[in-house]
């Protein structure tokens, strides 16, 4: 008997299944997850779970009993191997076959492999999955280790902060001049650089990593001819969407699985959500792929409602949050518009208590609140309005931020 089939074990998959039931769907729902775990969310893996402040209950979305009560069949440790869009079937790694009325691809992404000698030595880690976090936690939890991180994206910076707080020595190696510059620009990236350096992280930028040394296990990283000693190495140089299953099925792929604003792919009755989807954003009028938690959380329910035939679009403003040392932040905005925008700072950069806005002309296209709370909703309203804003008032903490929001 056909029903709804969801391929993936992350937040997009889990939230889609939950929404199908909450919207009243009574048919069969099957989740195919290639990991041994039921669907889970990833943000705690580099923060609270890795540090030991949070347990599995902060990671796993629902326990086995919940899925049983909701009549959702979760096939863990099982991969989808072939999709036959014409026949509406999915073949699985255990030799079985599923028929579907509607299919959701929430296959996520995989860490980019760094093709240097030694990348596959024991002691070299990547962080994407729960098992990866468990392995890192076992090595870093007691402190006293030398951790070398290759890459200074969000994962690398969060792990660096967590590892330092656990009492480990941390070195970050980055080929670009400023960490997080791709996401935030050089000035805001500099804020995070200073934060890490003040907390004892050895952050080396504009360097070239040559190889990872070791025989039975990684013992160091050679960078510009110099060996940086290491007890363990974490490679964090980006992620690649898991599109092979879709490509092999003849579904159109371009920097992710192409979808319309309702997350429909080029194949009838097949949808895509989360990291893997390169979706048309109805506000921007262009495609955008987001690897962040909020995208998965928002896209799963949109895909589920679209699978049920509802008239919905995925039009949320991208959102991201991070916690590093004593800095907490929330970031909202449209990355394609933020890339060449003007910065307007409201607050104190040196104290790391501020809100920064990315502005095109007089229109706010992004905003990040750093150690300033209960303002993200207002920041999102400023972005959503698309209206011109008085930039002097925007920069003035004495002017109430919500007074700048126009209907």
């Amino acid at each position: 008997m056909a029903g709804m089939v969801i391929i993936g074990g992350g937040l997009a998959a889990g939230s889609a299944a939950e929404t199908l039931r909450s919207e009243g769907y009574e048919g069969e729902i099957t989740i195919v997850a290639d990991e041994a775990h039921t669907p889970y969310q990833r943000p705690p893996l580099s923060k609270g779970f890795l540090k030991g402040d949070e347990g599995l209950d902060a990671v796993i979305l629902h326990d086995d009993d919940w899925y049983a009560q909701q009549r959702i069949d979760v096939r863990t440790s099982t991969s989808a191997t072939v999709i036959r869009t014409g026949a509406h079937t999915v073949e699985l790694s255990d030799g079985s076959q599923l028929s579907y009325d509607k299919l959701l691809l929430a296959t996520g992404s995989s860490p980019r492999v760094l093709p240097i000698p030694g990348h596959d030595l024991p002691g070299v880690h990547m962080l994407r999955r729960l098992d990866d976090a468990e392995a890192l936690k076992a090595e870093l939890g007691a402190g006293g280790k030398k951790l070398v991180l290759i890459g200074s994206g969000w994962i690398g910076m969060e792990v660096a902060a967590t590892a330092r707080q656990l009492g480990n020595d941390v070195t970050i190696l980055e080929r670009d001049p400023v960490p997080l510059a791709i996401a935030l620009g050089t000035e805001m990236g500099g804020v995070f650089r200073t934060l890490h350096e003040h907390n004892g992280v050895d952050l080396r930028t504009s360097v070239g990593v040559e190889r990872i040394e070791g025989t039975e296990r990684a013992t160091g990283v050679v960078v510009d001819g110099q060996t940086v000693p290491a007890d363990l190495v974490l490679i964090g140089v980006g992620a690649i969407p898991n599109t092979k299953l879709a490509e092999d099925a003849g579904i159109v792929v371009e920097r992710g699985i192409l979808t319309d604003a309702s997350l429909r792919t080029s194949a009838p009755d097949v949808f895509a959500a989360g990291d893997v989807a390169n979706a048309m954003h109805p506000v921007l009028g262009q495609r955008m792929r987001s690897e962040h938690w909020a995208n998965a959380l928002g896209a799963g329910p949109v895909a589920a409602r679209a699978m049920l035939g509802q008239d919905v679009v995925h039009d949320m403003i991208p959102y991201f949050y991070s916690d590093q040392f004593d800095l907490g932040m929330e970031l909202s905005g449209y990355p394609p518009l933020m890339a060449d925008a003007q910065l307007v700072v409201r607050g104190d950069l040196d104290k790391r208590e501020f809100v920064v806005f990315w502005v095109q002309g007089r229109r706010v296209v992004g905003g990040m609140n750093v150690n300033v709370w209960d303002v993200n909703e207002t920041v999102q309203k400023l972005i959503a309005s698309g209206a011109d804003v008085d930039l002097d008032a925007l920069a003035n903490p004495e002017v109430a931020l919500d007074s700048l929001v126009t209907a």
Side-chain angles (χ1 to χ4, degrees), residues 254-294:
E254 183 182 324
R255 296 187 297 277
I257 300 173
L258 294 190
T259 79
D260 64 12
S262 299
L263 303 180
R264 297 181 184 89
T265 73
S266 63
D269 301 320
V270 180
F271 300 75
D275 294 12
V276 77
N278 189 8
M280 177 60 68
H281 196 287
V283 175
L284 286 181
Q286 60 180 283
R287 296 187 188 278
M288 188 170 64
R289 192 177 75 83
S290 174
E291 297 175 359
H292 296 318
W293 164 85

Side-chain angles (χ1 to χ4, degrees), residues 101-139:
D101 293 318
K102 302 289 172 63
L103 173 66
L104 174 61
L105 301 178
T107 47
S109 56
S110 296
R112 189 182 301 275
V113 175
L114 189 63
I116 58 172
H119 75 271
D120 54 353
L121 281 169
V124 178
H125 298 256
M126 290 189 281
L127 179 55
R128 186 70 192 173
R129 298 186 165 208
L130 177 53
D131 291 349
D132 299 334
E134 291 273 21
L136 266 179
K137 185 178 180 180
E139 295 217 47

Side-chain angles (χ1 to χ4, degrees), residues 10 60 78 122 184 193 213 241 248 251 263 284 286 295 306 313 319 323 325 348 351 364 366 385 388:
I60 302 291
T78 306
L184 301 177
R193 175 176 195 143
E213 289 188 327
D248 291 347
I251 297 169
L263 303 180
L284 286 181
Q286 60 180 283
N295 176 57
V313 294
Y319 168 88
D323 296 303
F325 299 111
D348 194 323
K351 291 183 178 179
V364 177
S385 74
D388 286 351

Side-chain angles (χ1 to χ4, degrees), residues 46-175:
S46 57
K47 298 186 276 287
F49 180 77
L50 181 61
K51 192 177 178 184
D53 292 343
E54 296 177 319
L56 279 175
D57 59 332
V59 180
I60 302 291
L61 299 181
H62 298 291
D63 61 22
D64 292 347
D65 288 344
W66 184 89
Y67 288 102
Q69 292 166 5
Q70 295 294 319
R71 295 178 293 107
I72 296 172
D73 180 10
V74 184
R75 311 272 185 98
T76 56
S77 301
T78 306
S79 300
T81 55
V82 178
I83 300 170
R84 303 193 189 280
T85 59
H88 278 49
T89 59
V90 179
E91 295 179 12
L92 305 182
S93 57
D94 62 6
S96 64
Q97 179 176 284
L98 296 171
S99 297
Y100 65 84
D101 293 318
K102 302 289 172 63
L103 173 66
L104 174 61
L105 301 178
T107 47
S109 56
S110 296
R112 189 182 301 275
V113 175
L114 189 63
I116 58 172
H119 75 271
D120 54 353
L121 281 169
V124 178
H125 298 256
M126 290 189 281
L127 179 55
R128 186 70 192 173
R129 298 186 165 208
L130 177 53
D131 291 349
D132 299 334
E134 291 273 21
L136 266 179
K137 185 178 180 180
E139 295 217 47
L140 295 172
K145 296 290 182 67
K146 294 183 176 65
L147 169 66
V148 176
L149 294 116
I150 302 175
S152 66
W154 291 115
I155 292 293
M157 297 293 272
E158 288 178 351
V159 171
T162 301
R164 279 296 297 145
Q165 289 172 305
L166 289 170
N168 299 281
D169 292 332
V170 177
T171 302
I172 298 176
L173 306 174
E174 170 57 52
R175 67 179 181 180

